[in-house]
Amino acid sequence: MQVLSVTPEIFPLIKTGGLADVTGALPIALAAKGVTMRTLVPGFPVVMGAFKKKKAVYQYPLLQGGKAAVHAVQVAGLDLFVLDAPHLFDRPGGPYGNASGADWPDNWRRFAALSQAGADIAGGAISGYLPDIVHAHDWQSAMTLAYMRYGKAVGTPSMMTVHNLAFQGQFGAGIFGELGLPAAAMALDGVEYYGGVGFLKAGLQAAWAITTVSPTYAQEIRSPEFGMGLDGLINMRSSDLHGIVNGIDTSIWDPATDKHLVSTYTAETLKARAPNRAAVEDRFGLDRDGSPIVCVVSRLTWQKGMDILATVVDGIVATGARLAVLGSGDAGLEGALLAAAARHRGRIGVVVGYDEGLSHTMQGGCDAIVIPSRFEPCGLTQLYGLRYGCVPIVARTGGLADTIIDANEAAFAAGVATGFQFAPSNGGALLHAIRRLADAHASPAIFETIQRQGMKTDVSWDRSAEKYVELYRLLLSKRVA
């Protein structure tokens, strides 16, 4: 089975969040199950710099305003098609915006080009390659399925995976004439969305199947509260909606071999976490004592509940816990957390930014990781926490609810508890969960039982990849039918 994946990000080449981890790990997991996945990605500078020999397998004299080519390359064990379009992707800053953080005004054109290339490949543009299925990820590649629907690849099964419904790719109606779609596509059952053009909406409309990255999130987005204006369409497509929880790459995230750790360890050697704990204390300027270290590794945004965290930092310190925060985002939240660190020297430490190695050290040295998201399609941070014995404290939503078993009396008695859930998403509930964590931490036998149970959890891609394979097969059977 040949699957073409279309995505704006893929680890280890280009990453702004969990999407890249998924699109980078899934091809490897699927290969073990007899599925060959090739991935089309934009030719951002860091992507183009990852390979030296260029082999153009398809060329565009003109694609959304300039010359472009598709290169077939192998990088980091991944089979890639790279869309080399310098006029669209060869620019400084992040993949979606400039160095100051403002979105590129032509993002619609950039990702329309990516989607056009995806649809062309699906239609047989590259000699010797014809995918059985096309799998698009998030709004940046969603238009692939619309181009397929109105083009040569209309009969090729397709899947749209929503990693976060909040990001939809909505643009004014004025761009439609430059998309290269027939006039009939500018309709309610096409790409039209509230009078403009909706990239994600178009993908959801055209996809043969829709997946989200957890079963609970698949149900949540059918409601107005989580549906972000698309719940009507999603409910209309509910028979084609599936929730498949993400996994993580357990070869990269492995406390027994992780080179980012000061000290490696296993579930049987938890005392070997101590040097990592000391490294966290040093990096964040925390007091060295026996109190639990609760950490945060997150974008500092409203969605992630970081404003909730910021309002209760004094209460967290009052529980006796220490707090280590790694992240960046909303300037006001960054300032509030830095001010809290100044108020509580030795009890709260904040590093603004992102550091992949430090995030590993924190998972390997902290006692718990708090994820107070208002909504969370899946979340990977809590899966890393399970793997590393860094006990997750999570809001009861989306993939957080699906992957963490609350340490209530019944779960603990049954020996299945892996973390602490709280609801609703407010400061009082969060503080109560942290107090429960502190109480458990005061009893080493109880706390280590929760840690070890979490470390036993299968957070690999194996089961999830099998579910994708089953869904691919179902789509192929529909094509045959």
Side-chain angles (χ1 to χ4, degrees):
M1 189 189 303
Q2 297 278 345
V3 179
L4 173 67
S5 174
V6 187
T7 177
E9 302 179 26
I10 190 166
F11 182 84
L13 299 182
I14 179 75
K15 172 181 174 177
T16 65
L19 167 64
D21 291 317
V22 173
T23 55
L26 187 56
I28 296 168
L30 290 172
K33 300 184 181 300
V35 174
T36 300
M37 177 174 274
R38 301 195 74 166
T39 305
L40 172 67
V41 294
F44 297 122
V46 292
V47 176
M48 297 302 298
F51 61 95
K52 294 181 180 178
K53 293 184 179 179
K54 296 182 180 180
K55 179 187 176 185
V57 292
Y58 192 74
Q59 297 195 30
Y60 290 93
L62 185 67
L63 178 66
Q64 289 296 339
K67 292 182 179 180
V70 177
H71 302 288
V73 299
Q74 288 189 322
V75 179
L78 299 165
D79 287 322
L80 303 179
F81 290 125
V82 178
L83 179 59
D84 182 10
H87 63 293
L88 299 174
F89 303 121
D90 186 11
R91 48 182 81 171
Y96 315 120
N98 59 31
S100 64
D103 286 351
W104 295 113
D106 62 345
N107 271 347
W108 67 269
R109 189 184 297 278
R110 302 168 79 217
F111 296 107
L114 177 69
S115 296
Q116 283 181 275
D120 289 340
I121 295 170
I126 294 176
S127 178
Y129 180 76
L130 191 66
D132 299 301
I133 292 170
V134 174
H135 189 163
H137 299 267
D138 275 356
W139 75 263
Q140 296 94 334
S141 59
M143 285 288 284
T144 301
L145 310 189
Y147 284 112
M148 290 170 61
R149 178 183 176 189
Y150 297 103
K152 291 181 180 179
V154 63
T156 301
S158 60
M159 181 185 297
M160 181 76 238
T161 293
V162 179
H163 297 264
N164 192 332
L165 197 67
F167 304 106
Q168 300 183 2
Q170 294 178 248
F171 303 97
I175 73 167
F176 180 77
E178 297 186 65
L179 292 177
L181 289 167
M186 190 60 177
L188 184 61
D189 68 346
V191 306
E192 188 273 335
Y193 186 52
Y194 290 107
V197 175
F199 278 36
L200 180 59
K201 184 264 184 180
L204 294 172
Q205 192 81 53
W208 289 34
I210 300 167
T211 68
T212 68
V213 288
S214 73
T216 293
Y217 191 61
Q219 294 306 309
E220 287 177 339
I221 62 174
R222 297 179 63 181
S223 70
E225 182 183 0
F226 293 98
M228 306 290 177
L230 286 166
D231 48 290
L233 171 57
I234 290 165
N235 278 300
M236 187 179 73
R237 300 291 318 272
S238 61
S239 62
D240 302 310
L241 178 64
H242 308 265
I244 302 175
V245 72
N246 284 335
I248 62 174
D249 188 331
T250 53
S251 65
I252 293 173
W253 290 91
D254 183 355
T257 60
D258 193 334
K259 291 181 172 57
H260 294 297
L261 299 183
V262 178
S263 174
T264 56
Y265 61 95
T266 67
E268 286 70 46
T269 59
L270 288 174
K271 286 184 171 53
R273 296 179 91 245
N276 302 316
R277 182 187 184 86
V280 170
E281 290 168 336
D282 288 345
R283 182 68 179 85
F284 287 89
L286 298 177
D287 296 337
R288 289 207 172 192
D289 58 34
S291 63
I293 303 176
V294 177
C295 72
V296 171
V297 180
S298 177
R299 295 194 305 275
L300 304 181
T301 64
W302 179 89
Q303 181 215 321
K304 297 295 183 181
M306 289 298 115
D307 57 318
I308 298 171
L309 179 84
T311 63
V312 298
V313 287
D314 297 327
I316 292 172
V317 171
T319 69
R322 293 168 290 167
L323 179 65
V325 178
L326 170 64
S328 63
D330 182 274
L333 291 175
E334 290 178 2
L337 291 169
L338 287 168
R343 280 199 312 276
H344 299 286
R345 295 190 184 281
R347 307 312 294 175
I348 296 177
V350 176
V351 172
V352 174
Y354 184 70
D355 182 323
E356 184 78 12
L358 180 57
S359 74
H360 285 242
T361 303
M362 293 169 74
Q363 296 278 15
C366 295
D367 299 290
I369 184 158
V370 62
I371 309 165
S373 304
R374 284 186 167 85
F375 62 95
E376 193 64 67
C378 179
L380 299 177
T381 307
Q382 82 278 13
L383 303 183
Y384 304 145
L386 291 173
R387 180 83 164 145
Y388 279 58
C390 186
V391 176
I393 303 172
V394 303
R396 191 175 298 131
T397 186
L400 303 176
D402 288 333
T403 54
I404 303 303
I405 301 174
D406 183 66
N408 55 51
E409 287 189 20
F412 189 77
V416 297
T418 60
F420 298 88
Q421 291 189 8
F422 66 91
S425 292
N426 61 36
L430 171 57
L431 272 180
H432 179 61
I434 291 176
R435 289 190 195 99
R436 292 173 62 205
L437 175 281
D439 289 343
H441 186 266
S443 174
I446 290 175
F447 191 70
E448 288 179 12
T449 298
I450 298 172
Q451 286 180 294
R452 291 193 174 100
Q453 186 61 34
M455 294 178 77
K456 284 166 51 179
T457 304
D458 182 4
V459 293
S460 74
W461 269 104
D462 188 61
R463 286 185 297 176
S464 299
E466 187 59 47
K467 290 181 179 179
Y468 277 113
V469 173
E470 290 172 5
L471 193 48
Y472 292 153
R473 288 175 180 151
L474 175 63
L475 295 183
L476 286 175
S477 72
K478 290 183 178 180
R479 181 184 67 176
V480 173

